[in-house]
Amino acid sequence: MDSLEPVRRVEIIDRLRAAYPGSAKELCALKFESPFQLLIATILSAQCTDERVNAATPKLFQEFPTPQDMSLANREDLESLIYSTGFYKNKAKNIIDMTNVLVSEYGGRVPDTMEELSGLPGVGRKTANVVLSVAFSKPGLPVDTHVLRLSLRLGLTKEKDPVKVERDLMSWMPEAEAGGFSLRLILHGRQVCSARKPKCDQCVLEDLCPSSTLA
DNA sequence: ATCCCGAGGG
DNA sequence: CCCTCTGGAT
């Protein structure tokens, strides 16, 4: 391990914050007005763009404002409301099962710990970390496909398992930075460091990146 | 064809 | 570790 590596990490964090300023809540592209709405929106975001989730959720939350309402939803009605987000059968079943647990185990409230959140039906570690960091401003580093790809390209990890990547990054990440760092990597991954053709000539991290395609 | 802020089951 | 679930944009 290079003795300058900690300096490089801090520089990466700082440059991303300068390029994509704002809090985790402000950087989150999903529209929500409560932890419950963010939880549902994040479940719907699996293999689906945020814009399509945002197109579906207003009507969904209007029909079913509370966990109680959603737990009692007719399955077909729910499926038709979330159809365009894909995986609609799984998602509808998970949402009904999950909201039933919210009502029966948590008094209709969304819990705010990793253990409780990731124990909910259809809520994995990535979704739990989104809710923790964005809705509750707690330490949490969601590792999605972008965070995984950029972390590998930047040489911040050698792991390919999202859980191991999260552990790698959190071993040195300031806890207050984790959520924002994840959102910024996602934005940077979409706009600059894309999967197919990364725009290294437009990248603010170019001189810090071992995968740069530039001279 | 490939990708999008995944999770559960085998 | 692998597979499956899925529509929509590019």
Side-chain angles (χ1 to χ4, degrees):
Chain A
M1 168 83 60
D2 196 312
S3 68
L4 286 178
E5 180 59 8
V7 179
R8 191 181 72 102
R9 292 166 177 162
V10 171
E11 186 67 17
I12 290 173
I13 292 174
D14 287 348
R15 287 198 204 171
L16 284 174
R17 196 192 304 97
Y20 310 97
S23 65
K25 193 167 294 189
E26 291 165 340
L27 292 167
C28 180
L30 294 171
K31 291 191 295 187
F32 67 99
E33 294 173 0
S34 66
F36 172 64
Q37 291 191 357
L38 179 62
L39 175 56
I40 297 297
T42 308
I43 289 172
L44 294 179
S45 73
Q47 295 299 299
C48 173
T49 60
D50 294 335
E51 299 85 273
R52 245 175 318 124
V53 174
N54 290 335
T57 47
K59 195 170 295 180
L60 177 66
F61 296 143
Q62 187 180 346
E63 288 281 329
F64 308 109
T66 69
Q68 287 84 349
D69 298 321
M70 223 172 271
S71 71
L72 298 171
N74 173 272
R75 188 175 304 275
E76 284 75 30
D77 291 344
L78 186 53
E79 284 179 359
S80 67
L81 281 167
I82 66 174
Y83 179 81
S84 63
T85 67
F87 294 162
Y88 63 93
K89 286 178 180 293
N90 285 343
K91 288 174 180 176
K93 171 178 169 36
N94 286 149
I95 285 171
I96 290 175
D97 291 348
M98 189 275 290
T99 48
N100 268 294
V101 176
L102 286 186
V103 171
S104 63
E105 303 289 322
Y106 297 101
R109 285 284 168 185
V110 177
D112 62 353
T113 67
M114 171 58 72
E115 296 72 27
E116 295 172 308
L117 282 167
S118 60
L120 295 170
V123 180
R125 194 166 182 94
K126 185 258 171 181
T127 299
N129 271 321
V130 171
V131 173
L132 284 175
S133 61
V134 177
F136 293 119
S137 301
K138 288 192 163 193
L141 183 64
V143 177
D144 74 326
T145 173
H146 296 290
V147 176
L148 182 61
R149 181 180 72 254
L150 269 66
S151 296
L152 282 166
R153 283 181 177 169
L154 285 164
L156 296 175
T157 185
K158 293 179 179 175
E159 302 290 349
K160 291 164 186 68
D161 170 24
V163 177
K164 294 178 181 173
V165 173
E166 179 190 337
R167 177 159 34 72
D168 259 10
L169 298 194
M170 287 305 286
S171 71
W172 52 264
M173 179 75 53
E175 288 195 338
E177 298 286 345
F181 186 74
S182 172
L183 269 323
R184 292 184 185 105
L185 281 188
I186 291 166
L187 288 170
H188 196 61
R190 290 206 289 237
Q191 298 173 17
V192 180
C193 193
S194 48
R196 305 284 189 73
K197 284 180 55 182
K199 301 166 184 164
C200 297
D201 58 330
Q202 299 176 25
C203 180
V204 296
L205 305 176
E206 189 274 325
D207 59 305
L208 302 172
C209 182
S211 306
S212 170
T213 57
L214 303 185

